[in-house]
Each structure stands twice: as structure tokens, then as C-alpha cells.
Amino acid sequence: DAGVTQSPTHLIKTRGQHVTLRCSPISGHKSVSWYQQVLGQGPQFIFQYYEKEERGRGNFPDRFSARQFPNYSSELNVNALLLGDSALYLCASSLGPTNTGELFFGEGSRLTVL
Amino acid sequence: GEDVEQSLFLSVREGDSSVINCTYTDSSSTYLYWYKQEPGAGLQLLTYIFSNMDMKQDQRLTVLLNKKDKHLSLRIADTQTGDSAIYFCAEKAGAGSYQLTFGKGTKLSVIP
């Protein structure tokens, strides 16, 4: 069974540009979360979607947006990129409203902003 | 606010036990997790514990939770070189929340 898949795996952008990152959850999982991991830090929560609705948002500016599609895949969009947006962006999927909240992470998309 | 603290580095000899510690501040935490991250990879869920438990054992892994002191530990028995990685402690707040709050990670180095 395929795990969480993310694309692209690596990308380089320049300041001011826009980026779209994509995620496909584990089959049967209806919830997708996005985390940002800056080098040397733990992951920081950005968004969580369940059944195509936003269920949680972390402390990130409005330049960050996301959506979830009918097939439960998701996109994370970041506008007007800043140098500080350079990070590993992790997508995680879960079954849905389960109390255990287990998250299964993809390998991440490594974004470098020059 | 929520905060999760971990020591940044731990070095052990192969075959010894490793103990990675974590403290958290959110008293409403329901579940606590340990994730492993190898270089260039995503996070792998190792184990989790419900906040009304004080211990959970899974093969070489033992999780201890002291809810009064908000202290969580992960013990790895018979540590192997393949255990070298960064270990993250994370907490989840109450029911309805899917947001995990992670610590900065503890880098475990295993000396052959």
C-alpha cells in the first residue's frame, strides 16, 4: 500500500514567487494536515483539513493557503515567498476524527527560497 | 501556551539503553507521541500513549508518562546504530483537535 506521497520532493524559488505543493493521503484517509519544518526545528502546524473543510489553522500569515479535493488529496499554496519560507513542508494523513490522532507523514517537499 | 521541550543531543554506545526525555506544558494534552526522523526523510510514528496511562511497552521501546510533572520519556533498549536519528516528542490537545505540537527534537547518536 502506498503511503503519503508528496510532490515535488525538492524545489527552488526566488523571493516573491508563488509555490504549490501537493499531497496524496493514504488510501482511506480523509484528513490531511500540513506542517512546516525549518532546519533544526520541530514541525510547526500550518493547516488541517477533513472532508474538504478546514478544521484547524496554525499561526501562519495569509500568504499560506490550502485546499482539499474530493479525492482527499490536498494542495498547499504559498504566495509572495520570503527567504524565511525555506523549509521542509510535511504532509500528514489520518483516518479522521479519531481520538488517537495518529498522523502518518510523507517524505516532505524541500523548498529553498533564494 | 503550548510548549514541548527536549534536550537536543544524546550519545550512547551500541547495546546500551537510551533514554530521551520531554516535558510539556499543556495540561489538556490527551495523547503524547514519539516520532523518529532519519536524515532527509519524513517523520515515522514510533509509539503513542494516552494521558491516563503511565507506561506503554512496545518491543524495545518503553514510554513512561508522569502526568503530574508533565514529563514523558522514551527508553530504547539495546540501542543499535540504526536507531541513530532525531526523535521528536509531540502532544495533542483535547478531543476535536488534530494539531500536534512538537518539540525541537533530540538527536541520538549511537557509537559502535
Side-chain angles (χ1 to χ4, degrees):
Chain A
D1 283 346
V4 178
T5 57
Q6 293 187 242
S7 63
T9 55
H10 296 81
L11 69 166
I12 300 174
K13 294 284 189 178
T14 56
R15 281 178 296 175
Q17 285 189 313
H18 161 270
V19 69
T20 298
L21 307 177
R22 296 177 176 84
C23 172
S24 292
I26 293 170
S27 178
H29 285 194
K30 298 182 178 180
S31 179
V32 169
S33 300
W34 288 95
Y35 285 76
Q36 180 197 64
Q37 186 180 19
V38 173
L39 195 63
Q41 302 291 317
Q44 295 287 316
F45 174 73
I46 310 175
F47 287 109
Q48 193 253 339
Y49 277 78
Y50 173 66
E51 290 282 15
K52 302 181 287 296
E53 290 189 6
E54 182 184 302
R55 298 300 181 101
R57 173 186 282 255
N59 188 23
F60 279 81
D62 292 343
R63 298 185 297 107
F64 289 76
S65 64
R67 55 180 174 167
Q68 186 176 32
F69 299 99
N71 66 355
Y72 304 109
S73 67
S74 177
E75 279 183 356
L76 175 70
N77 294 283
V78 186
N79 292 324
L81 285 167
L82 303 174
L83 296 179
D85 295 330
S86 295
L88 180 67
Y89 288 85
L90 295 163
C91 173
S93 78
S94 58
L95 283 168
T98 58
N99 285 334
T100 57
E102 296 164 82
L103 294 182
F104 298 89
F105 283 84
E107 298 284 296
S109 294
R110 186 165 297 280
L111 171 65
T112 301
V113 182
L114 301 177
Chain B
E2 302 162 355
D3 200 10
V4 177
E5 299 283 343
Q6 301 177 239
S7 53
L8 296 181
F9 301 98
L10 176 65
S11 182
V12 299
R13 293 206 172 274
E14 190 174 16
D16 288 349
S17 291
S18 308
V19 179
I20 302 171
N21 294 300
C22 168
T23 58
Y24 60 99
T25 59
D26 188 357
S27 58
S28 70
S29 294
T30 54
Y31 284 87
L32 296 125
Y33 308 83
W34 285 103
Y35 281 87
K36 175 184 180 183
Q37 187 175 39
E38 299 186 54
L43 275 71
Q44 174 193 355
L45 176 64
L46 290 176
T47 186
Y48 65 90
I49 188 168
F50 185 44
S51 58
N52 71 351
M53 298 170 63
D54 52 20
M55 187 182 88
K56 181 178 181 181
Q57 191 154 0
D58 185 0
Q59 299 182 335
R60 292 192 297 125
L61 305 179
T62 302
V63 178
L64 295 178
L65 174 61
N66 182 327
K67 193 173 182 181
K68 174 177 171 290
D69 294 338
K70 298 189 182 69
H71 182 266
L72 182 74
S73 68
L74 174 69
R75 178 177 180 270
I76 306 172
D78 187 26
T79 311
Q80 302 297 307
T81 54
D83 295 324
S84 294
I86 299 177
Y87 291 81
F88 291 95
C89 168
E91 64 171 356
K92 183 176 93 72
S97 169
Y98 294 92
Q99 175 179 343
L100 298 192
T101 300
F102 285 83
K104 292 185 177 181
T106 299
K107 184 174 182 178
L108 174 64
S109 298
V110 182
I111 305 164

